[in-house]
Amino acid sequence: MKLWEKGAYLVNGKLSENGANPEDGVKKTLAYSILQKHNISGDDKKLKIKFDKITSHDITYVGIIQTARASGMERFPLPYVLTNCHNSLCAVGGTINEDDHMFGLTCAQKYGGVYVPPHMAVIHQYAREMLAACGDMILGSDSHTRYGALGTMAIGEGGGELAKQLLSKTYDVAYPGVIAIYLTGSPVPGVGPQDVALAIIKAVFDNGYVKNKVMEFVGPGVSNLSADFRIGVDVMTTETTCLSSIWRTDSKIEEWYAIHGRPQAYKELNPEDGAYYDGAIEIDLSEIRPMIALPFHPSCAYTIDEVNRNLMDLLDETEKRAKVSFGDKVNFSLKNKVIGGKLYVDQGVIAGCAGGGFENICAAADILKGKDTGNGKFLLNVYPASMPVYQELMKNGAFSALVSSGAIIKTAFCGPCFGAGDTPANGAFSIRHSTRNFPNREGSKIQNGQLSSVALMDARSIAATAANKGFLTPATEYDTEFSGKKYFFDKAIYDKRVYDSKGTAHPEVEIQFGPNIKDWPKMTSLTDNLLLKIVSEIHDPVTTTDELIPSGETSSFRSNPLGLAEFTLSRKDPLYVGRAKHIRGEEEKRENGVLFEKMDDEIVQAVKTVKAKFPEINEKNTGIGSTIFAVKPGDGSAREQAASCQKVLGGWANIANEYATKRYRSNLINWGMLPFLYSGGDKNLPFANDDYVFIPGVRKMIQDKLPSIKAYCIRKNGTINEFELSTGELTDDERKIILSGCLINFNRDNK
């Protein structure tokens, strides 16, 4: 694999350093043509995108619709699909999950949407089967919204961005860089899409090579991959932190659309000769070997052969990563999994938008046919991505081979990917063809002394490991004759169960609310000045959204903003919620007319110190709130709750050295939180946990588009020291949202 150090042209189908001028070449990429087709700004550098369709699942759609309803939405102005693949286990939390589903169904009826019942399909499989179209753009409230392999540019964002589309507003973004992913060769038997994806993630995550850019897959190797294989690589591009992806299309994609009864959705897409890219990655697919991403990130990837050769050294590295994430809270080790020099695995899972595809499961069945997974600890669970896929696997004998080997077949469900299903036993180690293996992502709770872990692998090598009774094995060790079964799609399955309004709203329908579904609390506009308390300080190299707001069983509370907020940072900093709520209480006093001098002693002392330098501050012009510091927050999920939970607890800002993803930064902004940047690193911060930070003139900074602002740390001993904060580039609407206090206020103020 080769990463180009500078830009590249695509000339006569090959990468070249030489070409016409880059400004013309940029306009010849697939990304440019699709983005500009959907851009209504008239400026090809500052995009205002209107999407063709949007989609959400049952962790996110309640909050999105509640935001849009509070902002005046009366009908869905574009196709909006509500799937139910996350909170599918209705036994968790009593009736609240099914209450959310009934909310979703009645909203689809009232506002003119599409409702996909639980267990019918995971969000991205339904979008592939029923929504994708060549040249279209889809926005989803899930970070793995990626349909580039089907010629659809798709972006995963927080709920605020979908609410904007529901209010007929735009997705505003600077024109992104575009990176060519140039494929040659063909994968060897036993290598699957997850192997290719992990190799790419390993090469680009740490160096940020594709961060917030579009990955454009080109080259002759594309045609050597089936549609399912391309889809399996494409969905994992999210883990590179890219903005989106797009692939050139060909007869295999044309056949895919025909199989799914939508031949009209296909058209051939190719970049024009002379297309210019900001960088390029060359990949010879024939050189990829079965991969494994060890805990605790998809970029911690190695070939399985390399792990088996250097087992103890690589497990040492994994233990060091655990120390960074968990400190001394738990004693993490995988060395007790080494038996006779081989790594033993307790569980295998093939599931979701990455692993649950037809070809992945067929390949696993081919490897396991006539074999036995054993009756020890090791367990293999398989989740097809949709009921049409499920039905075809029943018909063609793949399920029979899997069940006969000892595997368990389940229905379409995303739970294993985010800790709401198949949580391993304490100390257990799971291998999964799913999307993420972040700390606690599989559902364990270190605050209760529980810790299990996940490695990512392709379905083929998971099946090979299962055939070897749980000992880590690459699929290339088995001389398997892959059957290459043909797929037949039965749309009637959806016709009989999915509610499709065909775009017709029925305003007479009453929305069905459950007792856990709550409105967003009232939020105030940005004050002239801010007094913020640092309530959590995180020095991990990257902080994931799962660490900011845990996934798993907490997702049942996602329709209750204050209820969910109780879990904020619970697995990373259990003291955060109490600290934040205390400061929120002081702000509530201010909003109710209480004088600073009548507040908590800490506030009284901090205000006294500030007034010595800024005597003009008072209760009317200075808000009180909290903030966290993190080195690089926001990797992972698009769910807006990572920001909204901080906001409803009184958060006014984050302070970071950088933000891991655009979507997390956008979530902060849409909830009226300032995305502050501190350029001085994290080793000698000018503030510490429990300190107060005073930011004078913060409203003026946002209004006047000032590049930075002076802030002042107030320590408990009465000392005050100055430092500088910036926000990075903000659009005009983003500034207005922050000034209003949140997107709901902004929409209400600008009807």
Side-chain angles (χ1 to χ4, degrees):
M1 190 175 298
K2 175 187 174 184
L3 276 60
W4 284 47
E5 295 181 3
K6 53 185 180 179
Y9 293 89
L10 192 64
V11 180
N12 296 323
K14 295 183 179 180
L15 292 177
S16 172
E17 294 180 1
N18 303 310
N21 86 58
E23 288 187 9
D24 291 336
V26 162
K27 298 178 181 180
K28 296 180 178 182
T29 64
L30 286 173
Y32 184 89
S33 64
I34 295 175
L35 286 167
Q36 298 307 332
K37 173 187 169 186
H38 293 83
N39 175 30
I40 66 168
S41 72
D43 183 340
D44 66 357
K45 299 290 194 299
K46 295 182 178 179
L47 309 181
K48 288 183 174 293
I49 300 296
K50 288 267 190 135
F51 288 86
D52 298 290
K53 299 147 191 164
I54 60 176
T55 185
S56 298
H57 52 62
D58 48 351
I59 278 180
T60 57
Y61 64 61
V62 175
I64 292 165
I65 294 171
Q66 289 286 70
T67 298
R69 288 179 66 246
S71 304
M73 179 196 70
E74 295 181 354
R75 64 181 299 276
F76 296 156
L78 75 170
Y80 187 17
V81 174
L82 311 178
T83 65
N84 296 276
C85 50
H86 281 58
N87 286 346
S88 303
L89 301 180
C90 299
V92 178
T95 70
I96 59 180
N97 287 352
E98 192 62 15
D99 290 342
D100 285 358
H101 299 159
M102 290 303 97
F103 174 92
L105 174 59
T106 52
C107 283
Q109 293 168 338
K110 184 179 186 70
Y111 298 119
V114 177
Y115 173 86
V116 183
H119 304 285
M120 289 295 292
V122 302
I123 178 173
H124 303 308
Q125 187 67 12
Y126 186 85
R128 294 162 189 155
E129 293 170 353
M130 301 298 292
L131 302 181
C134 292
D136 272 9
M137 290 190 71
I138 295 176
L139 182 68
S141 57
D142 183 275
S143 57
H144 291 101
T145 306
R146 291 285 189 270
Y147 316 126
L150 299 174
T152 303
M153 189 176 288
I155 297 175
E157 274 285 359
E161 295 302 325
L162 277 82
K164 290 177 185 176
Q165 295 290 310
L166 291 175
L167 297 164
S168 298
K169 298 183 184 297
T170 57
Y171 177 75
D172 301 346
V173 64
Y175 183 79
V178 183
I179 303 295
I181 314 300
Y182 189 81
L183 304 180
T184 61
S186 300
V188 302
V191 166
Q194 188 81 324
D195 300 316
V196 176
L198 293 178
I200 294 172
I201 295 163
K202 180 179 180 66
V204 303
F205 178 78
D206 286 341
N207 58 25
Y209 191 77
V210 299
K211 182 180 176 180
N212 293 332
K213 296 181 173 67
V214 175
M215 298 173 72
E216 186 160 310
F217 287 76
V218 295
V222 171
S223 293
N224 297 330
L225 303 178
S226 68
D228 253 20
F229 198 112
R230 298 179 208 185
I231 287 167
V233 175
D234 187 57
V235 70
M236 291 297 292
T237 59
T238 294
E239 303 311 317
T240 68
T241 70
C242 74
L243 178 71
S244 188
S245 64
I246 192 68
W247 295 55
R248 70 174 184 84
T249 63
D250 56 18
S251 59
K252 290 182 179 177
I253 302 303
E254 183 176 22
E255 180 188 29
W256 194 93
Y257 279 113
I259 287 170
H260 288 80
R262 299 192 294 120
Q264 73 284 358
Y266 174 76
K267 67 178 178 182
E268 186 176 341
L269 299 178
N270 278 300
E272 295 179 46
D273 193 54
Y276 176 78
Y277 298 92
D278 299 279
I281 305 171
E282 293 183 69
I283 304 170
D284 182 349
L285 295 166
S286 67
E287 293 182 355
I288 304 294
R289 293 296 178 269
M291 303 286 290
I292 178 171
L294 292 173
F296 292 93
H297 196 275
S299 63
C300 301
Y302 311 87
T303 66
I304 295 175
D305 286 339
E306 184 181 2
V307 170
N308 285 335
R309 283 195 309 268
N310 305 291
L311 188 53
M312 300 309 286
D313 289 344
L314 294 179
L315 294 184
D316 273 334
E317 290 183 16
T318 305
E319 288 180 9
K320 291 175 184 176
R321 286 193 293 272
K323 279 286 185 186
V324 171
S325 292
F326 306 128
D328 296 323
K329 296 175 187 175
V330 290
N331 182 25
F332 173 83
S333 177
L334 290 177
K335 291 177 182 173
N336 62 339
K337 302 295 179 188
V338 180
I339 301 172
K342 297 179 180 179
L343 185 60
Y344 181 76
V345 176
D346 299 286
Q347 181 196 66
V349 178
I350 301 169
C353 59
F358 176 76
E359 287 185 7
N360 289 329
I361 296 175
C362 284
D366 289 338
I367 291 169
L368 280 165
K369 187 174 183 179
K371 299 182 178 67
D372 178 3
T373 63
N375 59 4
K377 290 181 182 178
F378 182 83
L379 175 67
L380 176 62
N381 291 332
V382 179
Y383 295 76
S386 71
M387 285 308 292
V389 171
Y390 191 109
Q391 176 174 264
E392 193 55 34
L393 293 167
M394 283 196 296
K395 287 181 176 180
N396 70 16
F399 274 177
S400 178
L402 288 167
V403 171
S404 294
S405 74
I408 305 298
I409 309 299
K410 301 189 178 182
T411 51
F413 179 39
C414 296
C417 188
F418 69 100
D422 287 348
T423 300
N426 184 52
F429 180 46
S430 178
I431 52 173
R432 301 186 174 188
H433 193 158
S434 59
T435 56
R436 293 197 173 118
N437 61 337
F438 295 167
N440 311 124
R441 175 87 180 185
E442 79 299 331
S444 59
K445 299 179 181 179
I446 60 168
Q447 69 270 30
N448 294 343
Q450 305 167 2
L451 181 60
S452 53
S453 59
V454 165
L456 301 182
M457 286 169 51
D458 188 83
R460 293 149 188 81
S461 290
I462 292 173
T465 300
N468 203 12
K469 307 294 192 294
F471 288 98
L472 184 65
T473 306
T476 48
E477 282 196 12
Y478 283 89
D479 186 17
T480 303
E481 185 176 337
F482 291 99
S483 58
K485 292 182 172 70
K486 187 173 176 61
Y487 181 58
F488 298 92
F489 175 75
D490 184 358
K491 182 175 177 289
I493 295 171
Y494 291 147
D495 291 338
K496 292 170 184 173
R497 286 295 304 132
V498 171
Y499 172 79
D500 186 352
S501 70
K502 309 294 186 185
T504 300
H506 296 279
E508 72 279 4
V509 172
E510 293 290 331
I511 298 173
Q512 184 170 324
F513 289 89
N516 185 62
I517 298 174
K518 306 294 184 184
D519 291 334
W520 292 106
K522 182 182 177 183
M523 299 177 194
T524 59
S525 58
L526 181 64
T527 50
D528 294 339
N529 318 299
L530 283 177
L531 180 64
L532 304 178
K533 185 172 185 179
I534 309 289
V535 290
S536 189
E537 187 179 346
I538 304 170
H539 289 269
D540 293 4
V542 178
T543 303
T544 70
T545 45
D546 287 280
E547 291 170 310
L548 293 167
I549 181 65
S551 54
E553 82 285 358
T554 59
S555 65
S556 294
F557 296 91
R558 292 263 155 75
S559 304
N560 182 339
L562 292 172
L564 180 63
E566 295 290 333
F567 296 94
T568 313
L569 279 169
S570 58
R571 296 179 188 173
K572 193 69 186 171
D573 184 355
L575 298 179
Y576 165 81
V577 170
R579 291 173 180 150
K581 287 172 73 172
H582 177 74
I583 297 302
R584 184 187 67 187
E586 299 304 298
E587 169 63 7
E588 288 170 351
K589 291 178 185 176
R590 183 194 74 83
E591 292 172 10
N592 290 322
V594 176
L595 300 176
F596 283 147
E597 62 195 56
K598 301 292 186 181
M599 294 187 190
D600 182 270
D601 288 346
E602 273 191 8
I603 299 290
V604 172
Q605 192 58 46
V607 169
K608 181 179 178 182
T609 303
V610 170
K611 278 198 169 188
K613 189 173 181 66
F614 299 94
E616 69 276 13
I617 75 161
N618 57 50
E619 298 80 5
K620 292 184 178 179
N621 64 23
T622 303
I624 300 170
S626 60
T627 186
I628 68 169
F629 169 80
V631 176
K632 188 178 179 180
D635 187 25
S637 172
R639 55 183 179 267
E640 63 182 313
Q641 292 91 348
S644 66
C645 285
Q646 296 177 54
K647 179 67 172 185
V648 300
L649 289 173
W652 265 112
N654 275 192
I655 302 174
N657 295 145
E658 66 173 301
Y659 291 95
T661 57
K662 176 198 173 298
R663 55 184 174 269
Y664 176 68
R665 184 176 180 272
S666 295
N667 287 337
L668 292 174
I669 293 166
N670 284 329
W671 285 104
M673 298 178 68
L674 291 143
F676 281 132
L677 292 164
Y678 174 68
S679 62
D682 74 314
K683 300 304 180 188
N684 295 293
L685 292 173
F687 49 78
N689 222 7
D690 283 337
D691 285 344
Y692 282 86
V693 172
F694 179 65
I695 310 171
V698 67
R699 187 174 180 89
K700 179 177 174 60
M701 175 208 186
I702 300 300
Q703 283 176 325
D704 294 354
K705 303 182 181 181
L706 303 179
S708 63
I709 193 168
K710 298 295 183 185
Y712 301 84
C713 175
I714 297 96
R715 301 196 182 271
K716 290 182 179 178
N717 62 8
T719 60
I720 184 168
N721 62 290
E722 179 184 295
F723 62 99
E724 191 169 18
L725 293 172
S726 63
T727 59
E729 188 173 341
L730 294 168
T731 68
D732 288 345
D733 275 358
E734 285 175 335
R735 292 178 186 279
K736 291 174 185 176
I737 291 166
I738 291 171
L739 292 170
S740 296
C742 67
L743 180 63
I744 295 173
N745 292 356
F746 168 73
N747 290 327
R748 188 183 296 128
D749 296 343
N750 291 275
K751 280 186 180 178

